Amino acid sequence: MLIIILAYLGGVLTIASPCILPVLPFVFARSDQSFVRSGLPLLAGMALTFSLVATLAAVGGGWVASANQYGRWLALALMALFSVTLLMPHLADRVMQPLVSAGNRMNDRLSSGNKQAPIGVSLLLGVATGLLWAPCAGPILGLLLTGAALQGASVGTTLLLLAYAAGAATSLTLALLIGGRVFKMMKRSLGAGEWIRRGIGAAMLVGVVAIAFGLDTGVLAQISTASTGGIEQKLLNRFTPADSHGVAPAPAESAAPLTVADISPMLTDDGPMPPLDGAVQWLNSPPLTAAALRGKVVVVDFWTYSCINCLRALPYVKAWAAKYHDQGLVVIGVHAPEFAFERDINNVTRQANKLGIDYPIAIDNNYSIWRAFNNQYWPAHYFIDAKGEIRYEHFGEGEYAQSEQVIQQLLREAGARNVNTAISQVQGQGVEQAAGGQQDISPETYLGYMRAENFGSGQAVNDKAAEYKVPASLSLNDWGLGGRWTVGPESVTLNGNDGRIVYRFHGRDLHLVLGPSKDGKPVRFRVTLDGKTPGDAHGTDVSPVGDGTVTEQRLYQLIRQQDSAGEHTFSIEFPDAGVSAYAFTFG
C-alpha cells in the first residue's frame, strides 16, 4: 500500500516542476471551456500516453523476467540512470528530448487559433500534453517501471502505473478547474518540488547499490517484506485450515501396483487448469501459460523451500520429472513463500540449485497462482491432462506410487507409447528422507507471535527486546527462551550473547528454520539432546558433538534419531547475537 501511495504522490509531484511550465498557460487558457468537451478529452489523451508506456512496460517486464539475472542487472542499470536524472534535471531534459520535440510540434499545430477546440482536437492535445510531461514524468515513472521489473510484471505493476496516472491526472484536473491560482502556487513550490525530486533520486541510488551488492537479501527481505508477508499470512490463515502443511504421510507405500481399473475411479474432471499469470519471475524456463501446455501432461507442485513436508516430497517430484519428460510430462514447481526471506529470488534460486531442481519454477510471491488454483496446502500436487483439465489432486506427503500411476495413465490417454509402468524407487537423503511414519509426533511450532503456541517462558513482549528465562520444566510440545530476545511476528531474534531455545518433543527428527544476522554474518550454535551431545542422533547440519553454524536462511536438520520412541528435551545455544529462529518441524 505504501508504494501505491508513493506512486500517486509521484504523479502529483510531476506538475510541480519547471519543465511543465510551458504547457500550463495553454491548459489554463482553456479552463473556461466545457470540462466534458475540452478538459475530459484532454485528460483521456494524457491517459492514452500512459497506457502506451504501460503496454511497453508489460512487454519489457516479461522479457526481463525471462532474462532472469541478466534482466535484473539491466533493470538496475536503468534504475540508476533514472535516479541520476532526478538528481540532474538537465540530464532528464536530454534523455526525454525526442518526446518533448514531438509534443511541442503537435501542440503548436493543434493550439493555434483554436479557441473552442473540438473533442477530437482536445484528445490529441492531451496526447501532446502527455509527451510534454515526459521530462518530469520520465524519471519518476522510470523508477516505478524498473523497480517493478526487478520483481516481475504483475498486477502490482499495473496498480503502480494506475496510481501514478491518477496522481498526474489529479494535478491537471486542479489546473483545469481552478486555473491561474494553481499556476501561481506551483511557481512558489518549484524549489521544494525540485529538492523532493533530488531526495528521491539520491534514495534510489542508495537502493540500487544495496540491491547490486546483495544487501537486500539480509535486510530488505527481513524488514521491507515482513509487514506485507504478515498481512498475507493472516489472510491465508483466515481462508485456509489451521494446518496448511498437508496431511500426515502414510506409514508405507503399497507394494502391490494398481491397475488401470483401480486408478480410473480416482480420476475426476475438476475443471480447466487455471492460468499461470502473476508469477514475479520464472526459473529454469521462460514464462509458461496454460494454453501453451495443451497437449502435455502437467504436474503442478506448490512448495516453499523451508517447508519440511515439501522437501520430503521433492525426491519423488524430481524423479517423475526426469523419468517421464521425454514422454510428454511437464513438471512445474510453484514456489509460494511462507516467510519473508523466501520472497527473495536469490534465496530461492540458490536453494533450488542446491536441491537439484531443473524443471520450471514459478516464483509466486503474490500468491496469484496459489489463489487461482484455490490451493490451501504445502505441498500440493495437481495433475492436468493433455486437454488442460485437472484430473487428480493430492495434498501433503504420501501416496507417491498412486500419484505416479496417475501420471502414467494420463500419458497413455495423451497417446504416449511404451509408458514405463514401473514405480520409481526413491530414497531421499538428509532433510529429504521420508518421515518415520508415526502419527503422534510433535506438531509444527512457530516462534513468531503471529502463530506461536505453547510458549513456556512467561508473557512474550512483542517487537521489543526483553529478557527471558528457560523454564525449570517443560511439558510435551512446550518451548522456551533464555537470554535477551525480540519476539517478532514471524521469528524470534537474539539481541545479546548467550541465547538459548529449548523444546520438549516427540519424534525421530527435529528441524528448525534459522537465519543469520541481518548483515549476513554466520552465527555459531551448539545442540544438546537430553542434556548431552547428540552423538549418533545428530542431524545433517550438526556434528556429533552438537556444533553447527547458521550461514543462510533455511531449514536446518538438527536431530535425527534411529527411532521416535519417548520424549526428549532439545536445546540449542548461541554464543553470539544476531540469529533469528522461525519454526520447529518434526518427522
Side-chain angles (χ1 to χ4, degrees):
M1 178 59 71
L2 178 60
I3 193 170
I4 298 292
I5 295 173
L6 291 176
Y8 174 81
L9 294 177
V12 173
L13 183 63
T14 55
I15 200 172
S17 181
C19 54
I20 198 60
L21 290 178
V23 77
L24 283 181
F26 172 74
V27 175
F28 293 144
R30 281 153 176 76
S31 61
D32 59 343
Q33 297 184 15
S34 167
F35 180 76
V36 174
R37 291 185 56 83
S38 180
L40 190 59
L42 190 146
L43 291 174
M46 188 187 72
L48 286 175
T49 304
F50 285 120
S51 298
L52 176 61
V53 175
T55 301
L56 294 175
V59 174
W63 178 83
V64 167
S66 64
N68 212 339
Q69 292 302 311
Y70 297 104
R72 177 182 173 85
W73 283 107
L74 175 61
L76 282 173
L78 290 174
M79 182 175 281
L81 172 63
F82 286 120
S83 300
V84 173
T85 60
L86 284 174
L87 285 168
M88 303 172 63
H90 294 298
L91 178 60
D93 293 341
R94 292 185 180 182
V95 172
M96 300 298 169
Q97 185 59 41
L99 290 178
V100 175
S101 298
N104 273 320
R105 288 194 297 269
M106 187 180 296
N107 194 356
D108 291 340
R109 292 178 182 177
L110 294 172
S111 61
S112 57
N114 218 347
K115 183 64 179 176
Q116 186 67 39
I119 293 178
V121 173
S122 296
L123 180 68
L124 291 176
L125 286 172
V127 174
T129 303
L131 293 174
L132 284 170
W133 220 310
C136 314
I140 298 176
L141 187 57
L143 285 172
L144 294 175
L145 296 180
T146 51
L150 287 173
Q151 294 297 321
S154 65
V155 175
T157 307
T158 303
L159 289 176
L160 286 178
L161 291 164
L162 289 175
Y164 178 86
T170 299
S171 295
L172 191 56
T173 300
L174 288 174
L176 286 167
L177 297 179
I178 301 177
R181 286 174 293 177
V182 175
F183 186 45
K184 294 179 181 179
M185 181 182 66
M186 290 301 171
K187 281 188 173 180
R188 291 195 297 268
S189 65
L190 289 180
E194 281 303 300
W195 279 110
I196 293 173
R197 283 163 55 87
R198 291 173 182 175
I200 294 174
M204 293 308 302
L205 278 178
V206 173
V208 169
V209 173
I211 295 171
F213 284 92
L215 300 180
D216 57 324
T217 301
V219 180
L220 298 180
Q222 296 187 57
I223 299 176
S224 300
T225 62
S227 59
T228 57
I231 293 171
E232 288 169 348
Q233 189 59 57
K234 287 180 179 179
L235 292 175
L236 287 176
N237 290 344
R238 175 169 294 186
F239 294 109
T240 60
D243 180 10
S244 59
H245 283 271
V247 295
E253 289 295 320
S254 173
L258 300 175
T259 66
V260 174
D262 294 327
I263 296 175
S264 296
M266 303 174 189
L267 299 180
T268 59
D269 186 357
D270 294 329
M273 175 183 179
L276 299 174
D277 302 334
V280 301
Q281 188 164 319
W282 284 78
L283 306 181
N284 304 328
S285 169
L288 299 176
T289 65
L293 290 168
R294 291 289 178 88
K296 299 285 188 179
V297 174
V298 180
V299 174
V300 176
D301 171 28
F302 284 90
W303 72 296
T304 186
Y305 78 78
S306 73
C307 163
I308 185 59
N309 307 85
C310 302
L311 294 175
R312 290 196 291 240
L314 194 56
Y316 299 90
V317 180
K318 290 189 293 185
W320 301 336
K323 182 176 178 179
Y324 300 106
H325 175 270
D326 293 340
Q327 293 179 304
L329 177 69
V330 176
V331 173
I332 299 173
V334 178
H335 188 274
E338 181 174 17
F339 298 111
F341 64 80
E342 292 174 305
R343 297 171 177 274
D344 188 284
I345 297 174
N346 288 332
N347 284 351
V348 181
T349 303
R350 184 166 52 250
Q351 295 303 320
N353 289 336
K354 287 184 177 181
L355 294 167
I357 301 174
D358 56 7
Y359 50 77
I361 299 175
I363 306 297
D364 194 26
N365 282 355
N366 299 322
Y367 301 97
S368 300
I369 304 174
W370 176 288
R371 288 192 290 266
F373 275 79
N374 194 28
N375 185 51
Q376 299 179 353
Y377 299 98
W378 292 282
H381 301 138
Y382 294 84
F383 299 78
I384 296 100
D385 66 18
K387 297 178 182 179
E389 300 292 324
I390 298 176
R391 300 288 301 282
Y392 184 71
E393 301 169 350
H394 186 270
F395 306 118
E397 301 177 54
E399 298 183 355
Y400 300 112
Q402 181 172 304
S403 294
E404 184 169 1
Q405 288 169 331
V406 168
I407 294 173
Q408 295 170 358
Q409 176 63 15
L410 295 181
L411 288 172
R412 284 190 289 266
E413 289 182 7
R417 298 181 178 180
N418 301 319
V419 176
N420 188 340
T421 58
I423 299 301
S424 302
Q425 300 301 310
V426 176
Q427 182 63 51
Q429 302 296 322
V431 295
E432 296 181 28
Q433 183 174 334
Q438 286 77 11
Q439 300 295 318
D440 56 350
I441 62 173
S442 293
E444 181 171 17
T445 302
Y446 296 91
L447 307 189
Y449 63 74
M450 281 177 53
R451 290 182 284 175
E453 294 180 340
N454 301 329
F455 182 56
S457 293
Q459 182 65 41
V461 180
N462 295 347
D463 298 319
K464 293 182 180 180
E467 293 286 342
Y468 296 94
K469 293 184 179 180
V470 172
S473 62
L474 289 170
S475 299
L476 180 62
N477 302 329
D478 283 355
W479 63 283
L481 298 172
R484 188 168 183 81
W485 295 82
T486 294
V487 179
E490 286 191 340
S491 63
V492 295
T493 301
L494 181 60
N495 298 112
N497 296 333
D498 299 321
R500 187 180 175 196
I501 306 175
V502 295
Y503 194 110
R504 183 74 173 171
F505 76 99
H506 175 216
R508 185 193 68 187
D509 306 332
L510 179 145
H511 314 90
L512 182 57
V513 179
L514 297 165
S517 59
K518 291 181 179 179
D519 60 4
K521 182 180 179 180
V523 179
R524 298 169 296 148
F525 64 80
R526 171 160 289 189
V527 164
T528 60
L529 185 65
D530 297 325
K532 302 176 183 178
T533 59
D536 292 340
H538 71 93
T540 55
D541 293 299
V542 178
S543 70
V545 297
D547 291 337
T549 305
V550 180
T551 57
E552 55 188 346
Q553 295 160 316
R554 63 174 175 86
L555 179 143
Y556 290 77
Q557 186 184 84
L558 305 178
I559 297 294
R560 163 150 286 169
Q561 304 175 88
Q562 295 300 314
D563 57 50
S564 59
E567 298 179 11
H568 302 276
T569 299
F570 164 86
S571 174
I572 183 169
E573 299 179 8
F574 304 95
D576 305 312
V579 73
S580 294
Y582 294 80
F584 283 99
T585 55
F586 305 89

